[in-house]
Short mmCIF file of all heavy atoms in Angstrom, two decimals:
data_model
loop_
_atom_site.label_atom_id
_atom_site.label_comp_id
_atom_site.label_asym_id
_atom_site.label_seq_id
_atom_site.Cartn_x
_atom_site.Cartn_y
_atom_site.Cartn_z
N MET A 1 -36.14 -119.97 39.32
CA MET A 1 -36.79 -121.29 39.67
C MET A 1 -36.96 -121.95 38.31
O MET A 1 -37.30 -121.39 37.30
CB MET A 1 -38.00 -121.10 40.38
CG MET A 1 -38.23 -122.34 41.35
SD MET A 1 -39.78 -122.34 42.15
CE MET A 1 -39.63 -121.13 43.41
N GLY A 2 -36.86 -123.39 38.36
CA GLY A 2 -37.01 -124.13 37.12
C GLY A 2 -38.51 -124.38 36.91
O GLY A 2 -39.30 -124.03 37.61
N ASP A 3 -38.66 -124.97 35.68
CA ASP A 3 -40.02 -125.37 35.30
C ASP A 3 -40.56 -126.59 36.14
O ASP A 3 -39.79 -127.46 36.50
CB ASP A 3 -40.14 -125.71 33.83
CG ASP A 3 -39.78 -124.49 32.90
OD1 ASP A 3 -40.03 -123.41 33.37
OD2 ASP A 3 -39.30 -124.63 31.80
N VAL A 4 -41.76 -126.69 36.43
CA VAL A 4 -42.32 -127.62 37.27
C VAL A 4 -43.02 -128.61 36.23
O VAL A 4 -43.77 -128.35 35.31
CB VAL A 4 -43.53 -127.28 38.09
CG1 VAL A 4 -44.18 -128.33 38.87
CG2 VAL A 4 -42.98 -126.18 39.17
N ILE A 5 -42.59 -129.87 36.31
CA ILE A 5 -43.01 -130.89 35.46
C ILE A 5 -44.08 -131.73 36.14
O ILE A 5 -43.91 -132.30 37.14
CB ILE A 5 -41.85 -131.92 35.05
CG1 ILE A 5 -40.71 -131.09 34.30
CG2 ILE A 5 -42.40 -132.97 34.22
CD1 ILE A 5 -39.50 -131.81 34.04
N PRO A 6 -45.31 -131.85 35.60
CA PRO A 6 -46.31 -132.61 36.27
C PRO A 6 -46.05 -134.06 36.00
O PRO A 6 -45.75 -134.58 34.83
CB PRO A 6 -47.68 -132.13 35.51
CG PRO A 6 -47.16 -131.66 34.23
CD PRO A 6 -45.83 -131.16 34.48
N PHE A 7 -46.20 -134.87 37.08
CA PHE A 7 -46.08 -136.31 37.09
C PHE A 7 -47.43 -136.99 36.64
O PHE A 7 -48.42 -136.52 37.15
CB PHE A 7 -45.51 -136.97 38.36
CG PHE A 7 -44.13 -136.52 38.55
CD1 PHE A 7 -43.79 -135.49 39.30
CD2 PHE A 7 -43.17 -137.25 37.87
CE1 PHE A 7 -42.51 -135.18 39.59
CE2 PHE A 7 -41.79 -136.91 38.17
CZ PHE A 7 -41.44 -135.90 38.91
N ARG A 8 -47.30 -137.98 35.81
CA ARG A 8 -48.63 -138.71 35.34
C ARG A 8 -48.74 -139.99 36.17
O ARG A 8 -47.68 -140.59 36.49
CB ARG A 8 -48.55 -139.05 33.86
CG ARG A 8 -48.66 -137.79 33.04
CD ARG A 8 -48.64 -138.13 31.57
NE ARG A 8 -47.39 -138.62 31.17
CZ ARG A 8 -47.11 -139.39 30.15
NH1 ARG A 8 -48.09 -139.84 29.47
NH2 ARG A 8 -45.91 -139.69 29.88
N LYS A 9 -49.92 -140.34 36.38
CA LYS A 9 -50.17 -141.71 36.97
C LYS A 9 -49.90 -142.77 35.96
O LYS A 9 -50.07 -142.52 34.76
CB LYS A 9 -51.63 -141.83 37.48
CG LYS A 9 -51.91 -140.90 38.70
CD LYS A 9 -53.36 -141.20 39.07
CE LYS A 9 -53.61 -140.30 40.29
NZ LYS A 9 -55.03 -140.56 40.83
N PRO A 10 -49.54 -144.03 36.56
CA PRO A 10 -49.21 -144.99 35.49
C PRO A 10 -50.58 -145.33 34.72
O PRO A 10 -51.64 -145.42 35.23
CB PRO A 10 -48.88 -146.21 36.35
CG PRO A 10 -48.59 -145.70 37.60
CD PRO A 10 -49.19 -144.30 37.68
N ALA A 11 -50.37 -145.67 33.48
CA ALA A 11 -51.50 -146.00 32.55
C ALA A 11 -52.47 -147.20 33.08
O ALA A 11 -53.57 -147.14 33.32
CB ALA A 11 -51.13 -146.28 31.16
N GLY A 12 -51.71 -148.35 33.34
CA GLY A 12 -52.46 -149.53 33.92
C GLY A 12 -52.21 -149.75 35.37
O GLY A 12 -50.93 -149.69 35.77
N LYS A 13 -53.21 -150.01 36.09
CA LYS A 13 -52.88 -150.34 37.48
C LYS A 13 -52.49 -151.75 37.65
O LYS A 13 -53.02 -152.69 37.17
CB LYS A 13 -54.22 -150.16 38.23
CG LYS A 13 -53.96 -150.19 39.79
CD LYS A 13 -55.29 -149.95 40.48
CE LYS A 13 -55.00 -150.08 41.92
NZ LYS A 13 -56.32 -149.90 42.77
N VAL A 14 -51.33 -151.87 38.34
CA VAL A 14 -50.78 -153.15 38.69
C VAL A 14 -51.46 -153.78 40.01
O VAL A 14 -51.44 -152.97 40.92
CB VAL A 14 -49.29 -153.13 38.84
CG1 VAL A 14 -48.78 -154.53 39.22
CG2 VAL A 14 -48.64 -152.55 37.70
N THR A 15 -52.05 -154.87 39.81
CA THR A 15 -52.76 -155.45 40.89
C THR A 15 -51.73 -156.22 41.77
O THR A 15 -51.14 -157.25 41.32
CB THR A 15 -53.97 -156.30 40.61
OG1 THR A 15 -53.44 -157.42 39.68
CG2 THR A 15 -54.97 -155.51 39.85
N ARG A 16 -51.50 -155.96 42.96
CA ARG A 16 -50.65 -156.48 43.90
C ARG A 16 -51.51 -157.50 44.71
O ARG A 16 -52.58 -157.23 45.11
CB ARG A 16 -50.05 -155.54 44.88
CG ARG A 16 -49.04 -154.70 44.16
CD ARG A 16 -47.86 -155.29 43.62
NE ARG A 16 -46.93 -154.32 42.98
CZ ARG A 16 -45.86 -154.61 42.29
NH1 ARG A 16 -45.61 -155.83 42.07
NH2 ARG A 16 -45.20 -153.75 41.66
N LYS A 17 -50.92 -158.62 44.93
CA LYS A 17 -51.67 -159.74 45.65
C LYS A 17 -51.07 -160.14 47.00
O LYS A 17 -51.32 -161.06 47.54
CB LYS A 17 -51.77 -160.99 44.72
CG LYS A 17 -52.34 -160.80 43.34
CD LYS A 17 -52.24 -162.03 42.49
CE LYS A 17 -52.65 -161.74 41.21
NZ LYS A 17 -52.27 -162.73 40.17
N GLY A 18 -50.17 -159.21 47.48
CA GLY A 18 -49.58 -159.51 48.69
C GLY A 18 -48.71 -160.72 48.73
O GLY A 18 -47.77 -160.76 47.92
N LEU A 19 -48.95 -161.74 49.54
CA LEU A 19 -48.12 -162.83 49.56
C LEU A 19 -48.28 -163.67 48.43
O LEU A 19 -47.43 -164.50 48.09
CB LEU A 19 -48.51 -163.71 50.88
CG LEU A 19 -48.10 -163.03 52.25
CD1 LEU A 19 -48.73 -163.87 53.36
CD2 LEU A 19 -46.61 -162.91 52.35
N CYS A 20 -49.51 -163.64 47.63
CA CYS A 20 -49.69 -164.48 46.48
C CYS A 20 -48.68 -164.18 45.38
O CYS A 20 -48.45 -165.12 44.58
CB CYS A 20 -51.09 -164.38 46.01
SG CYS A 20 -52.20 -164.98 47.11
N GLN A 21 -48.19 -163.01 45.20
CA GLN A 21 -47.11 -162.72 44.17
C GLN A 21 -45.84 -163.44 44.44
O GLN A 21 -45.04 -163.54 43.50
CB GLN A 21 -47.00 -161.24 44.14
CG GLN A 21 -46.36 -160.57 45.29
CD GLN A 21 -46.20 -159.07 45.11
OE1 GLN A 21 -46.56 -158.58 44.11
NE2 GLN A 21 -45.93 -158.46 46.20
N HIS A 22 -45.72 -163.98 45.63
CA HIS A 22 -44.43 -164.75 45.93
C HIS A 22 -44.82 -166.21 46.11
O HIS A 22 -44.12 -166.91 46.76
CB HIS A 22 -43.75 -164.19 47.21
CG HIS A 22 -43.41 -162.73 47.10
ND1 HIS A 22 -42.35 -162.41 46.31
CD2 HIS A 22 -43.85 -161.69 47.69
CE1 HIS A 22 -42.22 -161.09 46.46
NE2 HIS A 22 -43.14 -160.63 47.34
N ASP A 23 -45.92 -166.63 45.55
CA ASP A 23 -46.33 -168.11 45.72
C ASP A 23 -46.64 -168.53 47.04
O ASP A 23 -46.35 -169.72 47.26
CB ASP A 23 -45.42 -168.97 44.88
CG ASP A 23 -45.49 -168.76 43.28
OD1 ASP A 23 -46.68 -168.41 42.86
OD2 ASP A 23 -44.59 -169.02 42.68
N ILE A 24 -47.06 -167.61 47.86
CA ILE A 24 -47.48 -168.12 49.20
C ILE A 24 -49.03 -167.91 49.26
O ILE A 24 -49.53 -166.83 49.70
CB ILE A 24 -46.79 -167.30 50.32
CG1 ILE A 24 -45.28 -167.40 50.23
CG2 ILE A 24 -47.17 -167.80 51.73
CD1 ILE A 24 -44.46 -166.60 50.96
N HIS A 25 -49.79 -168.88 48.93
CA HIS A 25 -51.23 -168.75 48.83
C HIS A 25 -51.93 -169.23 50.07
O HIS A 25 -51.27 -169.92 50.87
CB HIS A 25 -51.71 -169.66 47.58
CG HIS A 25 -51.19 -169.09 46.23
ND1 HIS A 25 -51.74 -167.98 45.65
CD2 HIS A 25 -50.16 -169.49 45.46
CE1 HIS A 25 -51.10 -167.82 44.42
NE2 HIS A 25 -50.11 -168.73 44.38
N LYS A 26 -53.22 -168.89 50.17
CA LYS A 26 -53.96 -169.26 51.32
C LYS A 26 -55.01 -170.32 50.70
O LYS A 26 -56.17 -169.91 50.33
CB LYS A 26 -54.71 -168.15 51.89
CG LYS A 26 -55.39 -168.41 53.22
CD LYS A 26 -55.79 -167.10 53.84
CE LYS A 26 -56.49 -167.48 55.29
NZ LYS A 26 -57.01 -166.26 55.91
N TRP A 27 -54.62 -171.55 50.62
CA TRP A 27 -55.51 -172.60 49.96
C TRP A 27 -56.62 -172.92 50.82
O TRP A 27 -56.50 -173.22 52.08
CB TRP A 27 -54.79 -173.81 49.62
CG TRP A 27 -53.63 -173.52 48.59
CD1 TRP A 27 -52.28 -173.62 48.84
CD2 TRP A 27 -53.66 -173.05 47.17
NE1 TRP A 27 -51.60 -173.27 47.68
CE2 TRP A 27 -52.43 -173.01 46.73
CE3 TRP A 27 -54.81 -172.86 46.39
CZ2 TRP A 27 -52.21 -172.57 45.42
CZ3 TRP A 27 -54.55 -172.44 45.14
CH2 TRP A 27 -53.23 -172.30 44.56
N VAL A 28 -57.87 -172.95 50.18
CA VAL A 28 -59.08 -173.41 50.89
C VAL A 28 -59.73 -174.42 49.94
O VAL A 28 -59.73 -174.32 48.70
CB VAL A 28 -59.97 -172.26 51.12
CG1 VAL A 28 -61.39 -172.68 51.58
CG2 VAL A 28 -59.38 -171.15 51.98
N VAL A 29 -60.30 -175.57 50.52
CA VAL A 29 -60.91 -176.61 49.79
C VAL A 29 -62.18 -176.01 49.25
O VAL A 29 -63.06 -175.52 49.95
CB VAL A 29 -61.23 -177.82 50.64
CG1 VAL A 29 -61.92 -178.88 49.81
CG2 VAL A 29 -59.87 -178.41 51.06
N CYS A 30 -62.45 -176.17 47.89
CA CYS A 30 -63.71 -175.75 47.22
C CYS A 30 -64.56 -177.18 47.05
O CYS A 30 -64.18 -178.07 46.50
CB CYS A 30 -63.46 -175.23 45.86
SG CYS A 30 -64.86 -174.54 45.01
N LYS A 31 -65.70 -177.08 47.67
CA LYS A 31 -66.55 -178.27 47.91
C LYS A 31 -67.53 -178.41 46.66
O LYS A 31 -68.34 -179.31 46.69
CB LYS A 31 -67.28 -178.37 49.09
CG LYS A 31 -66.29 -178.21 50.33
CD LYS A 31 -66.84 -179.07 51.47
CE LYS A 31 -65.76 -178.97 52.54
NZ LYS A 31 -65.79 -180.11 53.36
N GLY A 32 -67.55 -177.69 45.66
CA GLY A 32 -68.57 -177.75 44.69
C GLY A 32 -68.47 -178.97 43.83
O GLY A 32 -69.54 -179.62 43.63
N LYS A 33 -67.37 -179.31 43.29
CA LYS A 33 -67.22 -180.39 42.37
C LYS A 33 -66.13 -181.43 42.84
O LYS A 33 -65.04 -181.01 43.02
CB LYS A 33 -66.89 -179.87 40.91
CG LYS A 33 -66.79 -180.92 39.87
CD LYS A 33 -66.36 -180.25 38.56
CE LYS A 33 -66.06 -181.19 37.53
NZ LYS A 33 -65.39 -180.56 36.36
N GLN A 34 -66.50 -182.62 43.15
CA GLN A 34 -65.57 -183.42 43.80
C GLN A 34 -65.25 -184.72 43.02
O GLN A 34 -64.44 -185.57 43.37
CB GLN A 34 -66.02 -183.83 45.13
CG GLN A 34 -66.17 -182.71 46.15
CD GLN A 34 -66.70 -183.17 47.45
OE1 GLN A 34 -67.01 -184.39 47.61
NE2 GLN A 34 -66.61 -182.30 48.40
N PHE A 35 -65.78 -184.91 41.82
CA PHE A 35 -65.58 -186.14 41.02
C PHE A 35 -65.33 -185.78 39.58
O PHE A 35 -66.12 -185.01 39.02
CB PHE A 35 -66.81 -186.96 41.08
CG PHE A 35 -66.66 -188.29 40.51
CD1 PHE A 35 -66.01 -189.36 41.21
CD2 PHE A 35 -67.14 -188.77 39.35
CE1 PHE A 35 -65.75 -190.63 40.65
CE2 PHE A 35 -66.98 -189.91 38.78
CZ PHE A 35 -66.37 -190.99 39.51
N ASP A 36 -64.17 -186.37 39.04
CA ASP A 36 -63.95 -186.07 37.61
C ASP A 36 -64.46 -187.17 36.80
O ASP A 36 -64.11 -188.39 37.04
CB ASP A 36 -62.31 -185.94 37.57
CG ASP A 36 -61.99 -185.77 36.09
OD1 ASP A 36 -62.73 -185.10 35.36
OD2 ASP A 36 -60.75 -185.96 35.68
N VAL A 37 -65.40 -186.89 35.99
CA VAL A 37 -66.12 -187.92 35.21
C VAL A 37 -65.26 -188.53 34.08
O VAL A 37 -65.32 -189.80 33.91
CB VAL A 37 -67.30 -187.14 34.47
CG1 VAL A 37 -68.05 -188.21 33.66
CG2 VAL A 37 -68.27 -186.59 35.52
N LYS A 38 -64.38 -187.82 33.48
CA LYS A 38 -63.45 -188.36 32.42
C LYS A 38 -62.51 -189.40 32.94
O LYS A 38 -62.39 -190.46 32.32
CB LYS A 38 -62.69 -187.27 31.77
CG LYS A 38 -63.58 -186.41 30.81
CD LYS A 38 -62.72 -185.34 30.07
CE LYS A 38 -63.67 -184.57 29.29
NZ LYS A 38 -62.91 -183.56 28.46
N SER A 39 -61.88 -189.15 34.05
CA SER A 39 -60.87 -190.18 34.54
C SER A 39 -61.51 -191.05 35.56
O SER A 39 -60.89 -192.03 35.95
CB SER A 39 -59.62 -189.46 35.10
OG SER A 39 -60.05 -188.65 36.25
N GLY A 40 -62.74 -190.73 36.12
CA GLY A 40 -63.42 -191.47 37.04
C GLY A 40 -62.64 -191.60 38.39
O GLY A 40 -62.74 -192.56 39.11
N LYS A 41 -62.09 -190.45 38.78
CA LYS A 41 -61.42 -190.29 40.07
C LYS A 41 -61.95 -189.21 40.96
O LYS A 41 -62.61 -188.28 40.46
CB LYS A 41 -59.89 -189.99 39.87
CG LYS A 41 -59.17 -191.06 39.25
CD LYS A 41 -57.80 -190.68 39.01
CE LYS A 41 -56.98 -191.78 38.28
NZ LYS A 41 -55.44 -191.37 38.18
N LEU A 42 -61.75 -189.35 42.30
CA LEU A 42 -62.13 -188.29 43.16
C LEU A 42 -61.03 -187.23 43.15
O LEU A 42 -59.84 -187.49 43.00
CB LEU A 42 -62.23 -188.75 44.68
CG LEU A 42 -63.42 -189.49 44.91
CD1 LEU A 42 -63.40 -190.14 46.30
CD2 LEU A 42 -64.81 -188.70 44.78
N ILE A 43 -61.51 -185.96 43.01
CA ILE A 43 -60.48 -184.90 42.99
C ILE A 43 -60.82 -183.89 44.08
O ILE A 43 -61.95 -183.84 44.69
CB ILE A 43 -60.55 -184.09 41.63
CG1 ILE A 43 -61.96 -183.61 41.33
CG2 ILE A 43 -60.08 -185.05 40.55
CD1 ILE A 43 -61.92 -182.69 40.06
N THR A 44 -59.79 -183.13 44.40
CA THR A 44 -60.00 -181.97 45.37
C THR A 44 -59.57 -180.72 44.71
O THR A 44 -58.41 -180.68 44.21
CB THR A 44 -59.15 -182.32 46.67
OG1 THR A 44 -59.52 -183.54 47.19
CG2 THR A 44 -59.38 -181.27 47.76
N ILE A 45 -60.35 -179.73 44.83
CA ILE A 45 -60.10 -178.51 44.16
C ILE A 45 -59.76 -177.47 45.28
O ILE A 45 -60.49 -177.28 46.17
CB ILE A 45 -61.21 -177.93 43.34
CG1 ILE A 45 -61.57 -178.91 42.24
CG2 ILE A 45 -60.91 -176.54 42.71
CD1 ILE A 45 -62.82 -178.47 41.35
N TYR A 46 -58.43 -176.87 45.20
CA TYR A 46 -58.16 -175.98 46.20
C TYR A 46 -58.21 -174.50 45.50
O TYR A 46 -57.87 -174.40 44.29
CB TYR A 46 -56.63 -176.19 46.65
CG TYR A 46 -56.53 -177.50 47.43
CD1 TYR A 46 -56.09 -178.58 46.68
CD2 TYR A 46 -56.81 -177.58 48.70
CE1 TYR A 46 -55.95 -179.89 47.35
CE2 TYR A 46 -56.68 -178.66 49.44
CZ TYR A 46 -56.23 -179.84 48.71
OH TYR A 46 -56.06 -181.10 49.45
N ARG A 47 -58.67 -173.57 46.14
CA ARG A 47 -58.85 -172.16 45.66
C ARG A 47 -58.20 -171.21 46.74
O ARG A 47 -58.50 -171.32 47.85
CB ARG A 47 -60.29 -171.85 45.48
CG ARG A 47 -60.58 -170.56 44.80
CD ARG A 47 -62.02 -170.36 44.48
NE ARG A 47 -62.28 -169.07 43.97
CZ ARG A 47 -62.53 -168.06 44.79
NH1 ARG A 47 -62.52 -168.18 46.09
NH2 ARG A 47 -62.66 -166.84 44.27
N CYS A 48 -57.37 -170.33 46.08
CA CYS A 48 -56.75 -169.36 47.01
C CYS A 48 -57.82 -168.28 47.40
O CYS A 48 -58.50 -167.68 46.60
CB CYS A 48 -55.62 -168.66 46.28
SG CYS A 48 -54.74 -167.41 47.26
N GLU A 49 -57.89 -167.89 48.69
CA GLU A 49 -58.84 -167.00 49.17
C GLU A 49 -58.45 -165.55 48.64
O GLU A 49 -59.41 -164.74 48.49
CB GLU A 49 -58.91 -166.94 50.71
CG GLU A 49 -59.78 -167.93 51.29
CD GLU A 49 -59.91 -167.70 52.83
OE1 GLU A 49 -59.16 -166.91 53.46
OE2 GLU A 49 -60.83 -168.33 53.39
N ARG A 50 -57.23 -165.30 48.52
CA ARG A 50 -56.76 -163.94 48.29
C ARG A 50 -56.94 -163.60 46.77
O ARG A 50 -57.32 -162.54 46.39
CB ARG A 50 -55.31 -163.67 48.78
CG ARG A 50 -55.28 -163.69 50.34
CD ARG A 50 -53.84 -163.27 50.72
NE ARG A 50 -52.99 -164.42 50.62
CZ ARG A 50 -52.48 -165.02 51.66
NH1 ARG A 50 -52.71 -164.67 52.84
NH2 ARG A 50 -51.66 -166.08 51.57
N CYS A 51 -56.27 -164.47 45.97
CA CYS A 51 -56.21 -164.10 44.47
C CYS A 51 -57.08 -164.89 43.54
O CYS A 51 -57.40 -164.50 42.46
CB CYS A 51 -54.79 -164.27 43.89
SG CYS A 51 -54.17 -166.04 44.03
N GLY A 52 -57.69 -166.12 43.98
CA GLY A 52 -58.61 -166.78 43.24
C GLY A 52 -57.99 -167.79 42.28
O GLY A 52 -58.65 -168.56 41.64
N LYS A 53 -56.70 -168.05 42.54
CA LYS A 53 -56.06 -169.10 41.75
C LYS A 53 -56.47 -170.47 42.17
O LYS A 53 -56.76 -170.62 43.38
CB LYS A 53 -54.56 -168.97 41.86
CG LYS A 53 -53.62 -169.94 41.01
CD LYS A 53 -52.23 -169.50 41.17
CE LYS A 53 -51.38 -170.56 40.28
NZ LYS A 53 -49.95 -170.23 40.37
N GLN A 54 -56.58 -171.45 41.16
CA GLN A 54 -57.04 -172.75 41.57
C GLN A 54 -56.00 -173.83 41.33
O GLN A 54 -55.18 -173.68 40.32
CB GLN A 54 -58.29 -173.13 40.83
CG GLN A 54 -59.44 -172.33 41.20
CD GLN A 54 -60.84 -172.86 40.52
OE1 GLN A 54 -60.68 -173.70 39.61
NE2 GLN A 54 -61.84 -172.41 40.85
N LYS A 55 -55.99 -174.87 42.13
CA LYS A 55 -55.09 -176.04 41.83
C LYS A 55 -56.02 -177.24 42.15
O LYS A 55 -56.95 -177.24 42.95
CB LYS A 55 -53.82 -176.05 42.51
CG LYS A 55 -53.99 -176.37 44.10
CD LYS A 55 -52.60 -176.49 44.66
CE LYS A 55 -52.72 -176.71 46.15
NZ LYS A 55 -51.35 -176.94 46.70
N VAL A 56 -55.70 -178.37 41.32
CA VAL A 56 -56.47 -179.57 41.47
C VAL A 56 -55.59 -180.72 41.79
O VAL A 56 -54.53 -180.80 41.36
CB VAL A 56 -57.15 -179.88 40.05
CG1 VAL A 56 -57.94 -181.22 40.18
CG2 VAL A 56 -58.11 -178.72 39.68
N LYS A 57 -55.99 -181.53 42.78
CA LYS A 57 -55.21 -182.64 43.24
C LYS A 57 -56.15 -183.79 43.11
O LYS A 57 -57.23 -183.97 43.67
CB LYS A 57 -54.76 -182.52 44.67
CG LYS A 57 -53.89 -183.59 45.16
CD LYS A 57 -53.38 -183.19 46.53
CE LYS A 57 -52.58 -184.39 47.10
NZ LYS A 57 -52.05 -184.21 48.44
N GLY A 58 -55.70 -184.95 42.24
CA GLY A 58 -56.43 -186.16 42.19
C GLY A 58 -55.96 -187.15 43.15
O GLY A 58 -54.91 -187.14 43.65
N HIS A 59 -56.97 -188.02 43.57
CA HIS A 59 -56.67 -189.03 44.46
C HIS A 59 -56.88 -190.37 43.88
O HIS A 59 -57.60 -190.76 43.09
CB HIS A 59 -57.62 -188.98 45.77
CG HIS A 59 -57.46 -187.60 46.55
ND1 HIS A 59 -56.54 -187.44 47.33
CD2 HIS A 59 -58.33 -186.47 46.47
CE1 HIS A 59 -56.61 -186.10 47.83
NE2 HIS A 59 -57.74 -185.61 47.19
#
């Protein structure tokens, strides 16, 4: 019989985000800050429930 080689776990754990890794996010409106002082416009901040990524849309 041959020698048994022990397998090691990967050094860094890769965090999988499910659908978010394919840019299919679950956007939710974040109601904390709704006005941009510098540009003087109303903004809407969207935050992904799964991964926490944010996007901003100005009106």
